[in-house]
Amino acid sequence: MTRYDKQVAIVGAAETTELGVIPDMSQLQLHADAALNALADAGLKPSDIDGVATAGESPTTIAHYLGITPNWVDGTAVGGCSFMIHVRHAVAALLTGQCHTVLITHGESGKSGIGRGRGRGNATSLQGQFEAPFGVVGPPTMFTLPVLRYMKRYGLTHEQLAMVAVVQRQWAGMNPRASKREPITVEDVLSSRMIAYPFHLLECCLVTDGGGALILTTADRAGDFPQPPVYVWGTGESVETPMVSQMADLTSSRAFAVAGPRAMSDAGISHSDVDHLMIYDAFAHLPIYGLEDLGFCGRGEAGAFIEEGHTAPGGELPLNTNGGGLSYMHSGMYGMYALQESVRQLRGTAPAQVEGAEVSVCLGVGGMFGASGCVVMGSQPKA
Amino acid sequence: MSGSRPLPEPTPETQHFWDGTRAGELRLQRCDDCAHVYFPPRPFCPACASRSVSVFAASGRARLDSYVINHRPHPAFEGHYAIALVELEEGPRMMSNIVSCEQTPEALVLDMPLEVTFEPQNDSITLPLFRPAAEGSKT
């Protein structure tokens, strides 16, 4: 028996109509396009929604734009895992009766930059004072910083790091909506343009436009909607540091190691129960850190685990089956797309469907190893 | 340098650090109660929350903890350049750049001994950078 009598289900899920390069749509409209698609998926109208959560835009803006009068909002914005954390907060709100039907939206004109405010760096912030002066230019020069230490400590090879991108491209090749689908080899990855040593272009995420939205309600209502419900079994969240230079351990994400195991224990599952796994892959080392921080692999073992094909099509632990941020899409805050793929897998509607997938773990990252949210979902209610 | 770096704007809690670099000192803080040494600056100990902390000058000795070599353009840098994480002898880790050293994987060897050097940017801001430690220096 769980701590709650009731459970929460995802009853609507959709991405924007288009993904990739969408020059004719503002960031706000990407939120709305995804929201309208999710509402249609659930057979609901905006007036049926009484809870709104979002990141990247204010929930005030989203509610006003969609014509929603919420009595619950959540604007938690800690980067790309914010949407996993919104799910966790929505579960608490729904189970305590603060609201009845929650809409979580994401939209990001990451490639085209339409209707997207460009935040200026704050020179008084901790990052502004103690990282920005040293030549960092965006995530490729920050998120990547820990990996040489990991490689020295555990012997991870450049070829193993490249293999992460190769395997995810195998999954993307099965997905018509993936931005990059042509097969690639380790040699292709290692001969692609150097972005920030040791990371080559193909080890860095895509930069695209898109969005996604989820609708959650209590499980007692889940049968009232047209799609098979996906049940939220467990959730976790944490934050570590706004500065990658201040990670406690350069070879492990403390936020992963808090949020992930919490979600799995909340769900009452062990590693062998997991049929499908999503680990937010802004760069090729993230699935390696995630597999170890979640406990699927011992320290230093995840590179070989991926290289041996265990996470590839046909392997026993299908990972990032949409192609991931490396090959499917990455608008900047990718977490929503990982959640969408977990929902598709548990509905049985994924392009690269894992046969019989009943339990999915979805681990997100925010900032540069700054935050994490994790959601465990099941195709049936939690026992 | 072909352009200027984005420069820090000190706050009341960090002014001593930037006053220190201008004076040729790398200033850290130590908790008077639990002896924890920490960075970045704040007027309390992040280990035990004590407000009783003292500023002191670090040795300036460090080792190379990790880095990337950026291949994309930056207005303040010419060519490829390393963004480094250095672990100070006193324990804290900080971001910096490695100067007087080729910016290549062959020259930048993890755990190599480093020493601080100070590079003035204008009248108020001097950045702490690191260079390979001189032969015979105690590291």
Side-chain angles (χ1 to χ4, degrees):
Chain A
M1 199 58 202
T2 65
R3 286 175 296 146
Y4 303 113
D5 295 327
K6 296 196 293 182
Q7 296 185 35
V8 164
I10 297 167
V11 298
E15 295 173 344
T16 44
T17 309
E18 304 292 332
L19 286 180
V21 182
I22 314 173
D24 57 349
M25 206 176 277
S26 70
Q27 180 157 296
L28 178 57
Q29 183 57 29
L30 290 167
H31 279 258
D33 183 55
L36 294 172
N37 286 344
L39 286 163
D41 186 65
L44 294 175
K45 305 181 298 298
S47 57
D48 297 319
I49 301 296
D50 64 352
V52 172
T54 194
E57 297 282 347
S58 159
T60 312
T61 302
I62 298 303
H64 169 79
Y65 197 63
L66 289 168
I68 294 168
T69 305
N71 57 36
W72 178 90
V73 297
D74 180 11
T76 300
V78 293
C81 65
S82 299
F83 313 102
M84 284 81 169
I85 294 177
H86 295 153
V87 169
R88 177 169 165 85
H89 297 177
V91 168
L94 290 162
L95 293 181
T96 55
Q98 292 183 13
C99 55
H100 299 291
T101 312
V102 169
L103 170 69
I104 303 172
T105 71
H106 161 70
E108 199 164 26
S109 188
K111 174 72 173 176
S112 302
I114 309 299
R116 186 181 201 211
R118 284 284 170 194
R120 283 183 189 282
N122 172 0
T124 66
S125 71
L126 290 172
Q127 304 101 301
Q129 291 190 62
F130 299 111
E131 293 191 340
F134 303 107
V136 295
V137 281
T141 57
M142 292 187 280
F143 226 145
T144 51
L145 267 166
V147 86
L148 282 185
R149 175 54 51 186
Y150 182 101
M151 294 173 86
K152 175 160 183 177
R153 184 169 298 169
Y154 294 121
L156 178 78
T157 65
H158 293 278
E159 289 74 17
Q160 287 173 326
L161 189 62
M163 196 65 189
V164 176
V166 171
V167 168
Q168 293 199 192
R169 186 61 67 83
Q170 292 171 6
W171 286 111
M174 302 160 72
N175 188 343
R177 269 166 73 86
S179 293
K180 299 289 184 187
R181 299 172 59 199
E182 323 76 50
I184 53 174
T185 64
V186 167
E187 290 70 33
D188 291 334
V189 176
L190 295 180
S191 62
S192 66
R193 182 160 52 92
M194 188 67 81
I195 299 297
Y197 173 85
F199 286 82
H200 306 81
L201 179 68
L202 294 178
E203 291 159 322
C204 303
C205 67
L206 304 166
V207 181
T208 54
D209 305 324
L214 295 170
I215 296 170
L216 286 77
T217 190
T218 47
D220 57 300
R221 296 175 59 204
D224 301 341
F225 298 89
Q227 301 291 342
V230 168
Y231 296 87
V232 180
W233 284 17
T235 59
E237 66 186 288
S238 191
V239 294
E240 181 176 357
T241 170
M243 307 167 74
V244 67
S245 62
Q246 300 305 313
M247 290 174 75
D249 178 351
L250 294 178
T251 68
S252 167
S253 163
R254 192 187 79 189
F256 277 178
V258 172
R262 173 59 189 262
M264 289 180 65
S265 70
D266 201 24
I269 61 166
S270 62
H271 295 95
S272 60
D273 296 318
V274 178
D275 301 312
H276 172 252
L277 180 59
M278 297 297 290
I279 298 175
Y280 189 131
D281 58 319
F283 295 90
H285 58 316
L286 269 75
I288 292 171
Y289 281 57
L291 282 167
E292 295 177 11
D293 290 329
L294 283 168
F296 285 96
C297 296
R299 291 288 164 203
E301 296 174 359
F305 186 76
I306 291 172
E307 186 179 38
E308 290 161 5
H310 299 292
T311 64
E316 75 267 26
L317 186 60
L319 169 67
N320 292 344
T321 51
N322 58 354
L326 296 177
S327 287
Y328 179 61
M329 84 87 65
H330 196 295
S331 59
M333 294 194 292
Y334 166 82
M336 175 58 81
Y337 309 97
L339 288 163
Q340 295 285 335
E341 175 66 7
S342 287
V343 170
R344 285 191 294 264
Q345 288 287 349
L346 296 177
R347 283 179 172 181
T349 60
Q353 181 64 42
V354 174
E355 284 305 314
E358 295 179 354
V359 177
S360 176
V361 173
C362 189
L363 178 70
V365 72
M368 312 299 139
F369 285 121
S372 182
C374 187
V375 181
V376 179
M377 289 157 273
S379 59
Q380 301 297 322
K382 181 164 63 171
Chain B
M1 296 293 149
S2 52
S4 65
R5 299 168 182 249
L7 293 181
E9 290 178 20
T11 60
E13 297 78 22
T14 65
Q15 188 66 54
H16 70 271
F17 180 87
W18 296 113
D19 289 345
T21 55
R22 199 174 49 186
E25 283 187 0
L26 187 64
R27 293 178 181 166
L28 296 175
Q29 287 168 300
R30 181 185 288 115
C31 178
D32 297 336
D33 289 320
C34 78
H36 181 58
V37 177
Y38 63 89
F39 175 88
R42 75 209 80 171
F44 60 91
C45 172
C48 76
S50 170
R51 292 177 186 265
S52 178
V53 299
S54 300
V55 174
F56 71 100
S59 69
R61 289 189 289 271
R63 63 173 190 92
L64 182 56
D65 202 354
S66 200
Y67 65 91
V68 295
I69 302 172
N70 185 33
H71 284 234
R72 299 197 302 171
H74 187 296
F77 293 83
E78 285 174 15
H80 304 162
Y81 62 96
I83 301 161
L85 300 180
V86 305
E87 187 175 280
L88 303 176
E89 184 177 68
E90 293 80 5
R93 190 194 304 124
M94 62 185 295
M95 189 179 286
S96 189
N97 301 117
I98 310 300
V99 298
S100 305
C101 182
E102 280 198 62
Q103 305 289 287
T104 63
E106 294 71 30
L108 294 162
V109 178
L110 291 201
D111 300 313
M112 66 192 284
L114 303 168
E115 61 191 14
V116 73
T117 180
F118 296 96
E119 185 177 281
Q121 305 294 307
N122 58 31
D123 288 346
S124 58
I125 294 296
T126 292
L127 294 178
L129 305 181
F130 287 79
R131 63 188 175 205
E135 286 291 322
S137 74
K138 179 169 157 285
T139 305

